[in-house]
């Protein structure tokens, strides 16, 4: 069985000596300085799950965006004893500086202060509120933290994230800030070591925002496998786009993925994979036009995670898109990636 | 149709809040008829080529799943039965009565009516079971209405003086209109088992009773030249009292008149719609009343949209009322084929009992079923 060797955080020499003489509380503080976190689980040996209770905000009744799914994803994982509270890491709000590495100053300023105009807001599917701004910033912070923890531990999963339709200067399709882009940019610049990041986006909608942001960035590879006829109809160019026909089912979907992922990992040789495990390819999804089953999603997620982890590459997951008026069923579907990750963690990481 | 993909994306995001449900289907060839054949199925037929398909479509079952939508897989229309017609289908009606699986069609440039059996579960074929040969050929197709008697019968005509009621089983002429008016028929409909209304192309309404050949005539007050008229009756089918019916008439100039049979001398409501083209093709004009929303009226055929109005808001001074809802979806059907001609909605119908559900078809072959959100009353 392959054993994953835990990567150590590279602390400079004097700090290492100091660390030995500090008590545990202070060690946590050091941990917090390196991780973008309000709370860390450095003594946990279990799959790191990243969640913030402020991933949600109030929306008008009958709003089509299933905001309630975020806390429900965590709840069903806890209830089914897939995870416990002791492995839940809590992110910090993404800072202006962090967001500024992807988004324009003008957009950020308008977005944070509520000055985006009505037409811009209509394209996002949301009416502005300060609660909305806050939840997006926590969500982005969550993806950043998941990426950092993945680098250290090998695997980490957020209970939100995947806002891939956000462009530098505008939001679109229920996405206001591009969390995957912000996380990738942060990790590219945070370390003195040059890193290559692969974004595997299996949400049923093309990751157009992310594709646009990294089109000229050689150290970030964007791979999107999506349904051609789904939103957005105006497509960007990812580094690799695989456009699927309506109605595709489990078997063909998985074999299409198997035709691309292995060579991509071998040729690009990423130092980190960010995986958008959107569940909208599911046949029950209200907006997606594919026909995957629960089992199909599980096999997909397991395949991606195993392929990456077996090569010794760390991977952070986000839940991506899913649209259903039955939020309980949807949350359960989103938790499939966490269950697959827990299985992979047990088999390959611990 | 040159809608950019970016505009289509904008509309898609807006549609998520404008509609509670929206399902889109692409027919190989466009239809100008949609006729309910059961609570969950409709019949459509081609008009654009010599050989045309008649299809019975099952609506997406997701539409009926209510709160349990998550448990219902079917988001697509399904073809249940199909058959071929040797002529372009201008008019198609589901016939009321014992058999319940019978439709009658009339064709373009044709002097016959064709009778079809939609078939049961054991077969997916729509079979022709009979032909009614008539004397006169009609370029635009004879207008048809279903009789409301137990024994299936059909009322048809292309000019007022040749309107007849025919018993389907025997082909016997049960009734013929006693007038020599040569006005072209735009539409006809039974109000109850005996009384019926005919609308002529020039907007004149005729009211008759199959128990006697005499027919009452109500011409339009001011003549609007070069206009063609269509009508829509508001009834409580199948047994209405004529006096309780309101009739709407739509002209190819975009004028809408609402009249009450108790007082035909002047309209009870009037509106002028803004038209994009000066003389739109009048082939597709459709005006209908909502069965489950009092005083709601819908109009299509003047362009690529369906307009829904609350006629209680029509005042005598403000003649250009704002619609409560506009369905623009046909402009954004991403699969639509276009041959350069402007897109037009060919027909629309309301669901028999779901308050805000409609079906609409367009000249590009798209067919939509949609349930719109009434933002003003904030109901879903």
């Amino acid at each position: 069985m392959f054993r994953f060797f835990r990567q150590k955080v590279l602390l400079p020499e004097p700090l290492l000596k100091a660390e030995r003489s500090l008590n545990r509380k202070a060690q946590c503080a050091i941990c917090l300085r390196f991780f973008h976190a309000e709370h860390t689980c450095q003594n946990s040996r279990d799959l790191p799950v990243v969640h913030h209770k402020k991933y949600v905000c109030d929306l008008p009744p009958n709003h089509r965006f299933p905001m309630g799914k975020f806390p429900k994803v965590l709840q069903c994982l806890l209830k089914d004893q897939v995870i416990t509270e002791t492995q839940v890491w809590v992110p910090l709000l993404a800072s202006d500086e962090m967001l500024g590495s992807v988004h324009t100053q003008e957009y950020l300023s308008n977005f944070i202060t509520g000055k985006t105009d009505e037409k811009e807001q209509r394209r996002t599917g949301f009416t502005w509120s300060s609660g909305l701004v806050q939840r997006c910033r926590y969500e982005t912070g969550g993806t950043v933290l998941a990426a950092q923890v993945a680098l250290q531990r090998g695997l980490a999963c957020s209970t939100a994230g995947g806002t891939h339709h956000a462009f530098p200067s505008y939001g679109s399709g229920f996405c206001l800030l591009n969390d995957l882009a912000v996380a990738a940019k942060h990790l590219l610049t945070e370390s003195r070591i040059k890193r290559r990041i692969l974004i595997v986006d299996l949400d049923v909608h093309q990751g157009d925002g992310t594709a646009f942001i990294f089109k000229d960035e050689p150290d970030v590879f964007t791979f999107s496998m999506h349904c051609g006829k789904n939103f957005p109809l105006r497509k960007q160019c990812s580094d690799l786009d695989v456009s699927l026909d309506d109605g595709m089912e489990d078997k063909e979907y998985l074999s299409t993925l198997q035709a691309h992922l292995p060579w991509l990992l071998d040729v690009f040789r990423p130092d980190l994979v960010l995986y958008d495990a959107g569940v909208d390819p599911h046949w029950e999804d209200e907006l997606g036009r594919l026909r995957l089953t629960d089992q199909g999603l599980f096999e997909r997620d397991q395949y991606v995670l195993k392929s990456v982890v077996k090569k010794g590459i760390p991977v952070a997951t986000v839940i991506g898109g899913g649209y259903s008026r039955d939020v309980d069923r949807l949350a359960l579907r989103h938790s499939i990636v966490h269950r697959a990750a827990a299985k992979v963690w047990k088999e390959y990481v611990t | 149709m040159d809608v950019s993909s970016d505009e289509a994306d904008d509309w898609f995001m807006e549609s998520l809040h404008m509609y509670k449900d929206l399902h889109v289907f692409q027919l190989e060839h466009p239809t100008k008829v949609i006729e309910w054949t059961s609570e969950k199925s409709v019949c459509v037929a081609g008009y654009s080529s010599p050989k045309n398909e008649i299809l019975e479509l099952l609506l997406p079952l997701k539409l009926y799943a209510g709160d349990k939508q998550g448990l219902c897989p079917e988001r697509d229309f399904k073809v249940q039965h199909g058959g071929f017609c040797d002529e372009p289908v201008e008019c198609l009606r589901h016939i009321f009565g014992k058999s319940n699986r019978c439709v009658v069609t009339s064709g373009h440039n044709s002097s016959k009516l064709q009778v079809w059996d939609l078939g049961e579960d054991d077969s997916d074929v729509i079979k022709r079971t009979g032909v009614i040969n008539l004397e006169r050929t009609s370029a635009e197709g004879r207008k048809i209405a279903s009789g409301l008697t137990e024994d299936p019968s059909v009322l048809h005509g292309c000019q007022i003086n040749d309107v007849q009621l025919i018993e389907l089983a025997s082909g016997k002429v049960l009734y013929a209109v006693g007038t020599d008016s040569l006005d072209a028929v735009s539409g006809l409909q039974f109000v109850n088992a005996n009384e019926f209304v005919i609308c002529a192309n020039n907007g004149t309404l005729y009211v008759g009773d199959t128990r006697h050949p005499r027919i009452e005539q109500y011409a339009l007050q001011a003549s609007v030249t070069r206009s063609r008229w269509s009508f829509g009756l508001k009834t409580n089918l199948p047994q209405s009292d004529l006096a309780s019916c309101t009739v709407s008439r739509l002209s190819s100039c975009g004028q809408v008149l609402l009249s009450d049979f108790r007082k035909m001398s002047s309209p009870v409501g009037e509106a002028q719609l803004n038209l994009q083209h000066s003389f739109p093709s009048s082939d597709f004009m459709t005006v209908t009343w909502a069965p489950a929303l009092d005083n709601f009226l819908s109009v299509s055929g003047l362009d690529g949209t369906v307009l829904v109005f609350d006629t209680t808001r029509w005042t005598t001074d403000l003649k250009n009322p704002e619609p409560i809802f506009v369905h623009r979806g046909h402009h954004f059907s991403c699969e639509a084929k276009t041959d350069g001609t402007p897109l037009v909605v060919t027909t629309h119908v309301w669901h028999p009992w779901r308050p805000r559900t409609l079906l609409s078809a367009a000249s590009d072959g798209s067919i939509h079923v949609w349930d719109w959100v009434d933002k003003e009353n904030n109901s879903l």
Side-chain angles (χ1 to χ4, degrees), chain A residues 60-124:
Chain A
N62 296 312
H63 196 282
R64 289 299 288 274
F65 185 77
M67 186 65 81
K69 69 183 185 179
F70 302 110
K72 282 185 195 267
V73 170
L74 187 76
Q75 278 158 30
C76 78
L77 289 169
L78 290 168
K79 178 168 149 272
D80 293 343
Q81 297 179 348
V82 180
I83 65 170
T84 63
E85 298 271 10
T86 59
Q87 63 199 101
V88 179
W89 299 56
V90 183
L92 285 170
L93 197 74
S95 65
D96 288 4
E97 198 190 327
M98 202 178 253
L99 297 174
S101 66
V102 165
H103 294 286
T104 64
Q105 281 309 307
E106 195 191 337
Y107 173 61
L108 279 179
S109 158
N110 286 342
F111 172 61
I112 292 170
T113 56
K115 294 206 197 81
T116 48
D117 69 41
E118 212 200 298
K119 184 171 192 303
E120 285 175 284
Q121 288 181 44
R122 273 207 302 268
R123 177 58 174 257
T124 68

Side-chain angles (χ1 to χ4, degrees), chain B residues 197-199 203-207 216-218 231 247 249 264:
Chain B
V197 177
I198 312 173
C199 180
T204 306
L205 286 176
Y206 293 81
V207 178
E216 298 268 328
Q217 175 177 334
Y218 304 98
F231 86 133
V247 59
R249 278 172 285 184
M264 287 301 286

Side-chain angles (χ1 to χ4, degrees), chain A residues 64 123 233 283-284 325, chain B residues 9-10 16 20 70 75:
Chain A
R64 289 299 288 274
R123 177 58 174 257
L233 293 174
W283 61 258
E284 273 182 29
R325 272 166 268 216
Chain B
D9 286 335
D10 276 339
L16 295 179
K20 184 166 158 248
R75 47 170 115 89

Side-chain angles (χ1 to χ4, degrees), chain A residues 74-315:
Chain A
L74 187 76
Q75 278 158 30
C76 78
L77 289 169
L78 290 168
K79 178 168 149 272
D80 293 343
Q81 297 179 348
V82 180
I83 65 170
T84 63
E85 298 271 10
T86 59
Q87 63 199 101
V88 179
W89 299 56
V90 183
L92 285 170
L93 197 74
S95 65
D96 288 4
E97 198 190 327
M98 202 178 253
L99 297 174
S101 66
V102 165
H103 294 286
T104 64
Q105 281 309 307
E106 195 191 337
Y107 173 61
L108 279 179
S109 158
N110 286 342
F111 172 61
I112 292 170
T113 56
K115 294 206 197 81
T116 48
D117 69 41
E118 212 200 298
K119 184 171 192 303
E120 285 175 284
Q121 288 181 44
R122 273 207 302 268
R123 177 58 174 257
T124 68
F126 288 120
T127 306
W128 189 92
S129 73
S130 58
L132 188 65
V133 174
Q134 188 190 65
R135 70 120 343 233
C136 292
R137 294 178 72 176
Y138 274 115
E139 180 176 46
T140 305
T143 306
V144 171
L145 179 59
Q148 288 177 322
V149 178
L151 273 174
Q152 203 207 47
R153 304 291 180 100
L155 182 51
C157 305
S158 177
T159 56
T163 44
H164 58 175
H165 296 306
F167 283 73
S169 58
Y170 61 92
S172 170
F174 295 133
C175 301
L176 294 157
L177 299 170
N178 195 317
D179 67 321
L180 293 164
V182 169
K185 281 269 181 143
H186 184 74
L187 289 163
L188 284 181
T189 53
E190 158 199 75
S191 160
R192 271 169 278 143
I193 313 164
K194 215 166 181 297
R195 280 188 180 127
R196 273 190 306 281
I197 298 174
L198 169 65
I199 299 178
V200 175
D201 186 340
L202 301 187
D203 183 296
V204 86
H205 305 97
Q206 189 205 37
D208 56 343
T210 328
F212 177 82
I213 290 163
F214 293 115
K215 63 179 163 39
D216 296 324
E217 174 55 77
D219 292 334
V220 177
F221 192 103
T222 51
F223 165 38
S224 176
M225 192 161 98
H226 49 265
C227 179
K229 290 208 178 120
N230 268 127
F231 174 95
L233 293 174
R234 185 188 70 168
K235 301 270 194 283
Q236 298 294 323
C237 290
S238 312
D239 293 310
L240 173 64
D241 280 309
V242 177
S243 178
L244 306 173
D245 289 333
D246 289 5
M248 187 178 271
E249 295 181 357
D250 293 344
K251 200 156 154 234
E252 207 186 336
Y253 184 93
L254 190 61
S255 62
T256 309
L257 182 58
Q258 286 166 337
H260 294 284
L261 188 62
W263 70 257
L264 197 49
L265 291 171
D266 285 339
V267 169
F268 185 64
R269 289 175 299 118
D271 299 297
L272 170 71
V273 170
L274 297 179
Y275 174 42
D276 181 330
V279 298
D280 39 17
H282 195 268
W283 61 258
E284 273 182 29
D285 193 85
E286 283 177 14
L287 303 183
R289 296 164 79 118
L290 301 184
R291 287 182 171 272
L292 263 60
T293 63
D294 288 357
Q295 186 62 23
L297 285 176
F298 181 79
E299 278 172 19
R300 171 193 76 167
D301 294 342
Q302 206 179 31
Y303 173 72
V304 172
L305 296 175
K306 269 192 194 171
S307 304
V308 175
V309 165
K310 274 161 95 165
K311 289 186 195 283
I313 306 169
V315 49

